[in-house]
Amino acid sequence: MIVPLVEAVSDTCGGKAGALGALLRAGLPVPDGFVVSYAAYLAAVGDLDLGESDDPDAMRPAIEARPVDASVIDALGRALDGLGDPPVAVRSSASNEDTGRASAAGQHESFLAVRGVGGVTDAVRACWASLFSPRAIDYRRDDRPDDRREDRREDRPSGNLRDDRREDRPPGDLAMAVIVQRQLDAEVSGVMFTPADPYGATEIEASWGLGPSIVGGTVTPDAYRVARDGTVTRTIADKRTRLDRHGTRLVVRDVPAPARNRAVIDDATAMRLAELGEEIAAVLGGPQDIEWAIADGRTWILQARPVTAAPPPPPSPSAAPAGALAGTPGSRGTVTGTARIVRGPGDFARVNPGDILVCPFTDPAWTPLLRIAAGVVTETGGVLSHAAIVARELGIPAVLGVPDATSRLHDGIVITIDGTTGAVTTRDA
């Protein structure tokens, strides 16, 4: 039930673990670790009547209360000892995750800075249960409008996405494997999208500290575009906070003022990342969405999955009309609707179908809101964040990184957002 990460394949360990296993076998820099395979999950829930109803009120608590078998705990202890019992990252690798059809970006649980067999056991069980969280269930629903489904199909790059990732498991065939890897205390982390065509550019986002700040959209990262001829263009953001490990806790720290507007990587590093991205795309057989980190001066790959929906191209300097608020294009399309200021779960009930979410950032738990919203505007975040990826998969326009959007736009006014140019205008503008 415990598989060394280098031996992981998608049929038994999920798409996320299968991709990392393939990269390790190709000699690429992936932190060492192991996988708690589907077999352990299926053994734990085998006598539960999970069915196909996707009822989180019944299924998730049942799994959370499930004791982990002593043989699995013993195997976890031995595997951790084999790593030297360091702090580890514990991450989901579900059967419907990281496929060429759907990313499930941020929909299942991940835990950083976990220490000891007890902590890892609890994190593994929480990953199992997250298969039936409300946001994961909502993401799996297949009743999206046909036009949104078409948008996703058009945005998805063509190519032979080689490897053995299963893309069409029915609800009754859901399973959750769990990756356990050595924790990296990254100085810099980021996300990279490799190009979908021979003439395209590699898109890179980077910020200080650990990666959840970037993928979660709580910081606006630096953006780099590496053309095929090696030309690097960059936009340096005001990176106010960073996430770091402190013992077995994650702490948010203020970035010192001199570093906020300093580039976190130089052009040479951006070019090396682009070259590494090409190697990864070649191994996995198609354009990739890659999470990476730099720790102790070395670059590591934390995740690679197929690009499900490409981001919009960068706008021209004159793209935004006069009087418009300007942000980063996150998901193409234009929509007009009522602005709904959402600062947290307490505001969820106020969101009506067709509203445009205006929020500081979007947490993965907000995915059900993206299904009913006509569009989304955030104050922080980049085009490669989880929220932007899900917006593109759902086919709704998104504009990201609009400073002070929740105070500059008022609840209930009519706004128009252009997810291709990054412009947000009010009716009076």
Side-chain angles (χ1 to χ4, degrees), residues 204-239:
I204 300 171
E205 292 185 341
S207 193
W208 305 114
L210 299 176
S213 293
I214 300 170
V215 298
T218 57
V219 66
T220 300
D222 294 347
Y224 301 78
R225 186 175 176 86
V226 184
R228 288 290 187 179
D229 64 2
T231 302
V232 179
T233 56
R234 54 182 174 169
T235 302
I236 306 305
D238 182 14
K239 304 166 289 295

Side-chain angles (χ1 to χ4, degrees), residues 56-69:
D57 292 334
M59 292 181 287
R60 188 176 188 183
I63 297 173
E64 289 173 333
R66 204 71 173 169
V68 178
D69 189 87

Side-chain angles (χ1 to χ4, degrees), residues 53 79 108 116 132 141 143 157 182 197 208 222 239 241 249 270 275 283 319 375 389 393:
S53 63
H108 303 121
F132 298 101
R141 286 170 51 198
D143 59 350
R182 187 182 301 275
D197 63 74
W208 305 114
D222 294 347
K239 304 166 289 295
T241 62
R249 296 186 301 114
E275 292 168 357
V283 170
I389 292 169
E393 290 180 350

Side-chain angles (χ1 to χ4, degrees), residues 6-344:
V6 70
E7 298 176 11
V9 295
S10 298
D11 277 349
T12 58
C13 298
K16 186 182 296 182
L20 292 176
L23 296 180
L24 274 170
R25 293 190 291 275
L28 293 171
V30 175
D32 56 342
F34 57 88
V35 185
V36 185
S37 71
Y38 290 158
Y41 167 81
L42 294 172
V45 304
D47 62 341
L48 293 176
D49 184 17
L50 298 180
E52 297 187 7
S53 63
D54 275 1
D55 177 9
D57 292 334
M59 292 181 287
R60 188 176 188 183
I63 297 173
E64 289 173 333
R66 204 71 173 169
V68 178
D69 189 87
S71 64
V72 175
I73 297 175
D74 183 61
L76 282 173
R78 292 196 303 272
L80 288 169
D81 287 343
L83 293 178
D85 198 22
V88 293
V90 182
R91 306 167 68 208
S92 66
S93 183
S95 55
N96 68 329
E97 187 174 15
D98 287 10
T99 74
R101 183 181 179 188
S103 66
Q107 301 311 303
H108 303 121
E109 295 290 359
S110 292
F111 301 91
L112 301 183
V114 183
R115 191 72 184 264
V117 66
V120 172
T121 300
D122 290 342
V124 166
R125 184 169 43 224
C127 286
W128 289 346
S130 72
L131 194 60
F132 298 101
S133 68
R135 71 181 187 241
I137 289 170
D138 189 86
Y139 181 87
R140 288 198 297 269
R141 286 170 51 198
D142 197 28
D143 59 350
R144 297 167 185 165
D146 290 340
D147 57 338
R148 292 187 180 182
R149 198 173 296 119
E150 278 301 316
D151 287 343
R152 295 198 311 278
R153 187 176 300 117
E154 290 173 4
D155 287 346
R156 198 163 55 245
S158 60
N160 176 26
L161 297 182
R162 187 196 59 76
D163 78 359
D164 53 353
R165 305 179 196 197
R166 295 185 177 181
E167 300 192 6
D168 296 298
R169 291 177 181 263
D173 199 23
L174 288 171
M176 175 67 79
V178 181
I179 304 167
V180 180
Q181 285 178 284
R182 187 182 301 275
Q183 170 80 51
L184 295 180
D185 292 328
E187 294 97 30
V188 173
S189 299
V191 183
M192 165 171 53
F193 272 35
T194 65
D197 63 74
Y199 305 102
T202 298
E203 306 287 348
I204 300 171
E205 292 185 341
S207 193
W208 305 114
L210 299 176
S213 293
I214 300 170
V215 298
T218 57
V219 66
T220 300
D222 294 347
Y224 301 78
R225 186 175 176 86
V226 184
R228 288 290 187 179
D229 64 2
T231 302
V232 179
T233 56
R234 54 182 174 169
T235 302
I236 306 305
D238 182 14
K239 304 166 289 295
R240 300 186 178 187
T241 62
R242 59 180 290 162
L243 185 70
D244 294 290
R245 181 180 72 87
H246 182 72
T248 56
R249 296 186 301 114
L250 298 180
V251 294
V252 177
R253 307 178 192 272
D254 290 333
V255 174
R260 288 184 178 181
N261 294 286
R262 190 172 76 226
V264 297
I265 60 174
D266 57 23
D267 289 357
T269 301
M271 291 173 64
R272 286 196 298 271
L273 281 167
E275 292 168 357
L276 183 57
E278 290 189 2
E279 290 184 64
I280 293 167
V283 170
L284 298 180
Q288 297 293 304
D289 167 358
I290 299 162
E291 295 181 20
W292 55 271
I294 298 176
D296 297 324
R298 184 177 179 187
T299 301
W300 297 89
I301 302 304
L302 307 181
Q303 180 174 302
R305 61 184 170 213
V307 174
T308 55
S316 64
S318 60
L325 303 184
T328 301
S331 179
R332 68 193 68 181
T334 302
V335 68
T336 298
T338 300
R340 192 63 62 205
I341 308 300
V342 177
R343 293 187 171 87

